[in-house]
Amino acid sequence: MTGGSLPTPRVESNRPAISIVVPAYNESAGLPPFVSVLSRTLDGAGLISWELLLVDDGSTDPTWAQIGALNAADPRVEGIRLSRNFGHQRAQWAGLAHARGRAVITMDADLEHPPALIPEMVRRWREGDAVVQGIRADDPDLPWHKRITSRLFYRIYSLLSGQALPPGSADYRLIDRAVVQELLQFREEGLFLRGLVRWVGFRQSEIDFVPGHRTQGASRFTTMRMLRLAWSGVSSFSVVPLRLAIFLGFATAGAAFLELVYALVMRLGFHRTEAGWASLIAVISFLFGMLFILLGIIGEYLGRVLSEV
Ligand code: UDP
Ligand code: MG
């Protein structure tokens, strides 16, 4: 068991073929059934050399003690404990950093990601796929607002980032060691692994699955957390929101110009003006237009800095 420290490099021959990385936040009740289904599936598929890394993401329930018990029962089950709750994306990343397998499978601890998919993922990996991405089918039991917002998110994300992320892309996937090494270079705030995995390239394939039902407790994701993850995704893969200012700038400046023409026509053509009105409006809209354009220019440079980083 590694207690949050960096992994000590082990000899190559010790390397398991497959590491399963599972973030767990207050999942003490759900872990035993999950681990038993998972290890039965893995052993049943003849995958003898595997390790399971349970990442305790700062749980406030006995998750860590539970991991200890599971480790005592089967040493292939190991644990990493984060010093506080860092969130699901960071926990996955920490698991990737400690995984030793030649391929790593990330999945949730609540059996919503059916372990039965693993043999097919491994088969494809052996045939040369570097990423096998799980695609979650629409769950008719999910509340409608969750289904709509999820679909909307993938739409908007694909539109803004220019990167086609299939709707339902889950954090259930197999990644080859080469891709893991690439992902570990990204120590950024606002980590969005779904986008990153797609972005790094390599040979990728997709595998559809029908989500199972959470065995214990409720989703650890509140609406606020979902929104935060969505914003991480958009802001780390798109500079479009920054560009908004420059579009606004040109629109406002254009409106100011039209306003000016209108005022001049009224003044010269019809000799009609309200005292001070035309000049006041012209000056104000012109200044606002300039302001937005300048903000837009700053946005452009910020965008470049973001891309470089
Ligand atoms: N999780 C985590 N840290 C958090 C929230 C969730 O490690 O801050 C884990 C959780 O234990 C589960 C996975 O991430 O294994 C997915 O969480 P959940 O099932 O609550 O999300 P949903 O399936 O509703 O998207
Ligand atoms: Mg879940």
Side-chain angles (χ1 to χ4, degrees), residues 10-226:
R10 282 169 245 206
V11 271
E12 194 72 16
S13 63
N14 257 349
R15 245 169 209 266
I18 308 280
S19 300
I20 316 275
V21 164
V22 178
Y25 177 57
N26 293 345
E27 301 277 9
S28 65
L31 281 180
F34 169 72
V35 171
S36 103
V37 173
L38 183 70
S39 57
R40 242 184 299 135
T41 309
L42 294 170
D43 290 338
L47 297 167
I48 22 167
S49 94
W50 54 266
E51 67 174 0
L52 169 60
L53 282 180
L54 297 169
V55 185
D56 178 359
D57 185 18
S59 296
T60 51
D61 78 340
T63 292
W64 184 241
Q66 191 57 259
I67 293 173
L70 291 164
N71 169 260
D74 184 345
R76 293 176 297 182
V77 180
E78 294 184 51
I80 299 164
R81 190 183 201 180
L82 304 187
S83 55
R84 65 167 167 86
N85 180 241
F86 278 91
H88 168 261
Q89 297 291 301
R90 262 298 137 207
Q92 266 189 70
W93 193 91
L96 290 179
H98 285 73
R100 295 176 296 133
R102 283 185 280 117
V104 182
I105 294 174
T106 56
M107 65 195 297
D108 289 355
D110 52 12
L111 287 172
E112 279 177 12
H113 297 161
L117 238 61
I118 293 177
E120 171 65 11
M121 285 182 162
V122 173
R123 197 186 61 75
R124 292 205 197 169
W125 171 61
R126 291 200 171 125
E127 280 178 0
D129 284 353
V131 174
V132 185
Q133 171 68 53
I135 305 287
R136 174 175 42 80
D138 244 358
D139 180 357
D141 293 342
L142 216 62
W144 63 271
H145 71 272
K146 245 196 146 168
R147 263 181 293 156
I148 303 248
T149 45
S150 159
R151 260 200 246 149
L152 206 65
F153 166 71
Y154 285 103
R155 271 280 173 77
I156 295 177
Y157 177 88
S158 299
L159 199 76
L160 291 183
S161 68
Q163 180 197 42
L165 196 62
S169 297
D171 282 305
Y172 186 18
R173 63 176 81 82
L174 178 146
I175 26 192
D176 182 74
R177 170 58 46 194
V179 180
V180 174
Q181 270 353 91
E182 290 300 322
L183 295 179
L184 291 178
Q185 318 238 337
F186 292 88
R187 295 167 164 275
E188 66 198 49
E189 259 311 299
L191 191 67
F192 186 63
L193 284 167
R194 282 171 226 180
L196 267 185
V197 168
R198 191 123 185 125
W199 182 82
V200 294
F202 295 93
R203 195 174 127 181
Q204 309 209 356
S205 73
E206 283 153 19
I207 183 168
D208 295 317
F209 72 92
V210 179
H213 287 286
R214 190 171 236 294
T215 45
Q216 301 286 331
S219 169
R220 308 301 188 245
F221 271 91
T222 58
T223 309
M224 204 53 219
R225 286 186 95 130
M226 293 301 290

Side-chain angles (χ1 to χ4, degrees), residues 267-308:
R267 174 80 183 82
L268 302 176
F270 303 94
H271 302 285
R272 266 197 301 184
T273 41
E274 307 243 6
W277 177 81
S279 55
L280 199 67
I281 284 295
V283 167
I284 289 178
S285 15
F286 181 72
L287 283 182
F288 264 109
M290 281 299 126
L291 195 65
F292 281 138
I293 289 177
L294 286 178
L295 268 177
I297 291 172
I298 293 177
E300 276 303 309
Y301 281 100
L302 244 170
R304 266 161 222 227
V305 172
L306 177 73
S307 303
E308 275 319 304

